[in-house]
Amino acid sequence: RLRLHDGKLIKDRRYHLRTYPNCFVAKELTDWLIDHKEAPDRETGIRLMQKLMDHYIIHHVCDEHSDYKDAKLLYRFRKDDGTFPLSKDVKVFMRGQSLYEKLVSVEESILKVREENSVKYQRTFLGSEMIDWLIQEGEVENRQEAVELGRALLEHGIIQHVSNRHHFFDSDILYQFWINFRRRRRLTELLNENSSRALSESPDSPFCLRKLNPDPGNTSFLSVQTNKEIKIVSAVRRSSITSLSGNSNAYFSAPPTLVFPPVAECNPKSVLKRPVTNEELLSPGAPYVKKTLTIVGDAVGWGFVVRGGRPCHIQAVDPGGPAAAAGMKVCQFVFSVNGVYVLHLDYQTISSLIMTGPRTLV
């Protein structure tokens, strides 16, 4: 955005007797992306800009187009017209970036290479050391506030315990910044989020997942259990354009169901090794870490299956889908959906919440 301002691609433009401030022409921007080697071709440039639209970073000046079109249409960065949504996720990310910049720019920074169990870790700090620094710099008023900030940074994937075993505590436990904010990123990295990841063939895995018949009209994926029994699980879908199964309703009228012969059991065997209660999940000192995942659905859906109830868990994840790209894993528990607390709900209700909600799922 700043480079486009410097290059005068973003400026006030007049169209049909009306002036639109701080906007750019889509076709000119696609040319710019190719000229500056941010995209190898027009198709990639269009896909990159569509990603920015999906994440509410740019939009059509009159919001008449939900897709990015490589034409003489005017678009604008939401940051330039005050419509960029400063959600809690964005605020925490920006706070983390601000703290990181402050820490790496001072002499004698608390961020150091440290070793634990013969493994060296970059950009590390002790929990208590970070809390002392936050209070000293006036970032927080007291230790409790500092712990809450540290926990928010960890839950949003900005910091983590070096071996990912602990939440954030005021102690001598070793943490590190998970994100290197100073690494210059290229726009094309946005398109790598959904690349298929290599699947573990380990027999210890409860099951592995494979794409089945990658037909855009009927995408499902396999849940393969350790006993080699194969069952087809219909993916959670969301489509506002095409009707499903000839029904005019844009969403499923019922939660997604498993596709079996009538004599088969209606649910696959749970991937959980044992049942877990809400009390156990929420008890102080329990070995569970809260994480916030933001998943932007594609034409098929979000690519995961929820099962169980009170609490629900992730039963299956499509390895090539948006959920896998966002870091979702089998056996995680669902704490909230788009800000709604759901630990007390069953999977049918949660599936309905997801499918009738926005395309961007938090």
Side-chain angles (χ1 to χ4, degrees), residues 212-267:
L212 175 75
N213 300 331
D215 171 1
N218 181 24
T219 302
S220 305
F221 51 92
L222 294 182
S223 165
V224 185
Q225 300 180 3
T226 47
N227 61 7
K228 299 294 185 286
E229 180 185 357
I230 295 177
K231 295 171 179 177
I232 301 174
V233 183
S234 65
V236 176
R237 292 169 179 266
R238 179 188 189 281
S239 172
S240 56
I241 302 165
T242 56
S243 58
L244 301 163
S245 305
N247 187 340
S248 60
N249 186 353
Y251 299 104
F252 275 120
S253 56
T257 54
L258 297 166
V259 184
F260 293 136
V263 293
E265 59 178 322
C266 289
N267 274 311

Side-chain angles (χ1 to χ4, degrees), residues 190-348:
L190 286 172
L191 300 181
N192 298 331
E193 289 177 359
N194 291 333
S195 60
S196 295
R197 302 181 178 196
L199 295 172
S200 169
E201 295 294 339
S202 164
D204 296 328
S205 172
F207 56 81
C208 64
L209 297 160
R210 289 187 180 84
K211 278 276 190 184
L212 175 75
N213 300 331
D215 171 1
N218 181 24
T219 302
S220 305
F221 51 92
L222 294 182
S223 165
V224 185
Q225 300 180 3
T226 47
N227 61 7
K228 299 294 185 286
E229 180 185 357
I230 295 177
K231 295 171 179 177
I232 301 174
V233 183
S234 65
V236 176
R237 292 169 179 266
R238 179 188 189 281
S239 172
S240 56
I241 302 165
T242 56
S243 58
L244 301 163
S245 305
N247 187 340
S248 60
N249 186 353
Y251 299 104
F252 275 120
S253 56
T257 54
L258 297 166
V259 184
F260 293 136
V263 293
E265 59 178 322
C266 289
N267 274 311
K269 182 182 173 186
S270 172
V271 295
L272 299 179
K273 290 182 180 176
R274 62 176 182 81
V276 174
T277 64
N278 286 339
E279 290 71 25
E280 185 181 342
L281 269 182
L282 300 173
S283 63
Y288 298 102
V289 175
K290 251 198 259 177
K291 289 191 175 179
T292 301
L293 305 179
T294 301
I295 307 165
V296 180
D298 58 20
V300 176
W302 296 270
F304 66 96
V305 174
V306 179
R307 280 296 178 266
R310 306 177 183 89
C312 286
H313 63 274
I314 304 303
Q315 175 77 5
V317 180
D318 177 357
M328 181 175 280
K329 291 181 171 48
V330 168
C331 295
Q332 289 176 330
F333 295 98
V334 186
F335 181 85
S336 68
V337 173
N338 295 327
V340 178
Y341 175 81
V342 298
L343 278 181
H344 60 296
L345 301 177
D346 56 28
Y347 78 86
Q348 290 99 334

